[in-house]
Amino acid sequence: MRTMSGIVAAHGPFDPREGERMLDRLAHRGPDGQGSHALDHAWLGHTRLAVVDLAGGAQPLRDSTGTYWLVGDGEIYNHARLRRQLEQRGHVFRSRADQESALHLIEADGLAALSRLWGMFAFAGADTDGHFFAARDTMGIAPLYWVRHDDTTVFASELKAFDPQRRADVEPFPPGHVWTPEGGLAPFRVLADTTPATLPDTPSDEEPTEAVLSAIRESLIGAVERLLEADVPVGALLSGGLDSSLVTAIAARHAHRAGKRFPTFAVGRQDSADLVAARQVAEALGTDHHERVYTDDELIDWVPEVIRVIESFDPSLVHSSVPNLLVSKLAARSVKVVLIGEGADELFAGYGYYGEIDSGAELHQELLSTIEGLHIGGLQRVDRVAGATGLEARTPFLDLDVVELGLSLPAQWKLSGDRPEKWLLRKAFEGWLPDRLLWRPKEQFGQGTGAGDVLGSYYASTVSEEEFEAERGALDPPLRTREEVAYYRLFQRELTGVDPEHLIGRFAGW
């Protein structure tokens, strides 16, 4: 299915040597191969992490005549059905790569067909007739950045790929959009326009029926089982919190039916809350469980590398990314794909600050806003850490079926009130975990692993109060704490020339 990778593309005058430098900076995303192709008006480059069609899925992809070319990062969930339809129309496929279905679909039906692709992707394509396009999936799960200089437009998977002289003008490519030189930037499927899922007709002021709970449950089960498909070993990062535990419960049942034990990986300080809870979940589900215990000094020492990897200085992301990087390194010894629980908090109101909202309409808008911002927040951490460790991270809660269902639910059901956060999701999965684990109160990953307190205390101590007052105004809104100033200093050192104002998400709930 998916081949996680790094892509570089350019339209207009472009020195291939710059493209090769950019690919070299993305080598960590694609240790299994590198390729490029130059056309008169465009340049396409790719670094590959092979997950499916290990022998035949190298990129750039091309059609049988060498007219249409494409590089991509992502996974097309409905590629098999599209392939069958396209083969019936006479298209000849050269590999089993899922993204080749996208190449032929666009060749056959044009860029309007992007809305028929179900999955996570960032593409750039060109043909010998002078056409070019770039596109990104609706959720922004696959990363893509771009910069426009004079007659040249350059694209890449990460900020650090760009040459320093281009970095000041780099922007995130907007999710759900496509760009062409002729038509500019245009939406093909944005989140706000998704069609709500069909649900039983239940008034929002009533309790959800069993049919509603079943719809939630079956939607997530379907997403997890789709994402278990791969030609390489698959596991899960298990924090012991609700979201990763539910994903693991579904995957473990699926593995047990095949007579296998599902691999899980956890991280934390010795006897930290998350490590203990993950151990209990793994025991209850019968997984093949692995742990990484770290010391305070290790946490502190990894921060500069983590900031370089995740391309952010937001404290909440740093707190979660250090343990995330360490557990990913552990997982990469055994598997090549990991399932994670990202997105459940944004769909089912899991963060503490959501509990301060008492209006269903206001909560829905806040959830939609945070989901739309994931591509420069939590998903940035997920992608960069996976890319740095040779893993592919898959996100069942951000499958479009699950997202559309979650957003179609009356937001009143997600208000906390006297109930635990995400009670609706917990209720839907009663019986899948022991109650003490199913109803365990939420802790942020960086807090549950013990990372938040350690890092916050140490890095705040490296910035004096006078330095904080002098430096906090470097950004708008201002840097919030001495700890954040310390991380911002490291960010400036590691990512020279990047303007963070419009590139870096800063978590409002921190």
Side-chain angles (χ1 to χ4, degrees), residues 17-232:
R17 291 173 296 182
E18 180 178 351
E20 297 296 339
R21 289 195 299 272
M22 295 176 71
L23 285 180
D24 287 344
R25 297 186 194 110
L26 294 177
H28 56 279
R29 295 184 67 89
D32 297 325
Q34 183 170 310
S36 63
H37 182 70
L39 295 92
D40 290 342
H41 63 295
W43 192 90
L44 303 174
H46 185 265
T47 63
R48 183 187 186 216
L49 172 67
V51 173
V52 165
D53 195 2
L54 308 187
Q59 296 193 29
L61 298 168
R62 66 176 177 88
D63 71 341
S64 58
T65 67
T67 301
Y68 293 87
W69 294 79
L70 180 140
V71 290
D73 173 24
E75 179 176 358
I76 308 303
Y77 302 147
N78 59 339
H79 72 100
R81 177 171 56 82
L82 292 172
R83 181 184 184 119
R84 288 192 297 270
Q85 294 171 352
L86 289 159
E87 286 178 332
Q88 290 170 1
R89 296 167 65 180
H91 287 259
V92 178
F93 281 69
R94 296 165 49 84
S95 73
R96 292 192 298 112
D98 61 289
Q99 293 170 21
E100 191 173 353
S101 293
L103 171 69
H104 288 281
L105 182 66
I106 294 166
E107 176 186 356
D109 297 333
L111 295 175
L114 285 166
S115 63
R116 294 165 54 195
L117 297 175
W118 203 255
M120 44 200 279
F121 55 82
F123 294 141
D127 64 29
T128 54
D129 292 330
H131 299 104
F132 179 93
F133 81 94
R136 189 181 186 191
D137 71 78
T138 301
M139 298 299 302
I141 299 175
L144 190 63
Y145 295 88
W146 65 329
V147 62
R148 289 166 280 189
H149 280 162
D150 300 323
D151 295 329
T152 300
T153 305
V154 185
F155 303 82
S157 297
E158 295 185 10
L159 291 170
K160 65 178 71 72
F162 293 90
D163 277 1
Q165 72 272 15
R166 294 198 188 272
R167 290 180 180 176
D169 300 315
V170 173
E171 298 177 300
F173 191 88
H177 283 70
V178 60
W179 179 85
T180 63
E182 304 82 17
L185 192 65
F188 65 87
R189 183 182 181 137
V190 294
L191 188 59
D193 295 335
T194 53
T195 303
T198 301
L199 279 177
D201 186 15
T202 305
S204 61
D205 58 350
E206 296 182 9
E207 291 291 289
T209 64
E210 178 52 41
V212 171
L213 298 176
S214 177
I216 295 170
R217 189 166 53 249
E218 293 306 314
S219 177
L220 185 60
I221 290 172
V224 171
E225 292 186 343
R226 279 193 297 276
L227 296 182
L228 286 170
E229 297 178 26
D231 291 346
V232 293

Side-chain angles (χ1 to χ4, degrees), residues 306-329:
V306 161
I307 288 175
R308 187 193 68 81
V309 165
I310 66 172
E311 303 182 329
S312 177
F313 54 87
D314 179 78
S316 65
L317 283 187
V318 174
H319 293 172
S320 60
S321 296
V322 178
N324 193 209
L325 182 67
L326 295 177
V327 74
S328 295
K329 286 179 175 291

Side-chain angles (χ1 to χ4, degrees), residues 229-245:
E229 297 178 26
D231 291 346
V232 293
V234 181
L237 303 187
L238 178 60
S239 72
L242 176 69
D243 312 332
S244 64
S245 297

Side-chain angles (χ1 to χ4, degrees), residues 279-461:
R279 198 175 298 152
Q280 293 171 343
V281 171
E283 183 177 353
L285 298 176
T287 69
D288 178 17
H289 193 56
H290 309 262
E291 293 182 349
R292 167 72 155 89
V293 179
Y294 52 66
T295 65
D296 292 356
D297 287 343
E298 281 185 285
L299 283 178
I300 292 166
D301 290 345
W302 273 102
V303 166
E305 171 66 9
V306 161
I307 288 175
R308 187 193 68 81
V309 165
I310 66 172
E311 303 182 329
S312 177
F313 54 87
D314 179 78
S316 65
L317 283 187
V318 174
H319 293 172
S320 60
S321 296
V322 178
N324 193 209
L325 182 67
L326 295 177
V327 74
S328 295
K329 286 179 175 291
L330 171 67
R333 300 174 189 168
S334 306
V335 300
K336 213 163 186 179
V337 174
V338 288
L339 305 185
I340 60 173
E342 196 76 27
D345 287 318
E346 291 78 7
L347 282 177
F348 293 95
Y351 293 125
Y353 78 97
Y354 291 140
E356 301 169 7
I357 300 173
D358 56 13
S359 159
E362 183 182 345
L363 178 60
H364 177 79
Q365 287 305 312
E366 183 62 27
L367 294 175
L368 182 60
S369 175
T370 52
I371 291 171
E372 290 175 331
L374 273 173
H375 71 104
I376 55 170
L379 286 176
Q380 185 167 318
R381 177 201 68 233
V382 167
D383 173 81
R384 301 303 192 279
V385 170
T389 53
L391 284 176
E392 177 193 323
R394 296 181 176 178
T395 52
F397 280 103
L398 294 177
D399 179 279
L400 271 180
D401 282 343
V402 180
V403 172
E404 290 187 346
L405 173 60
L407 290 176
S408 74
L409 299 170
Q412 288 90 330
W413 289 346
K414 302 174 188 178
L415 294 171
S416 294
D418 297 329
R419 296 185 278 209
E421 86 289 335
K422 292 186 290 194
W423 71 271
L424 184 59
L425 181 61
R426 299 173 194 267
K427 186 74 175 173
F429 278 90
E430 283 190 327
W432 284 70
L433 293 168
D435 280 353
R436 72 182 188 281
L437 301 173
L438 182 68
W439 295 95
R440 178 193 175 212
K442 177 180 177 58
E443 291 186 80
Q444 299 286 49
F445 181 54
Q447 299 300 327
T449 59
D453 291 341
V454 173
L455 297 179
S457 175
Y458 175 82
Y459 277 95
S461 73

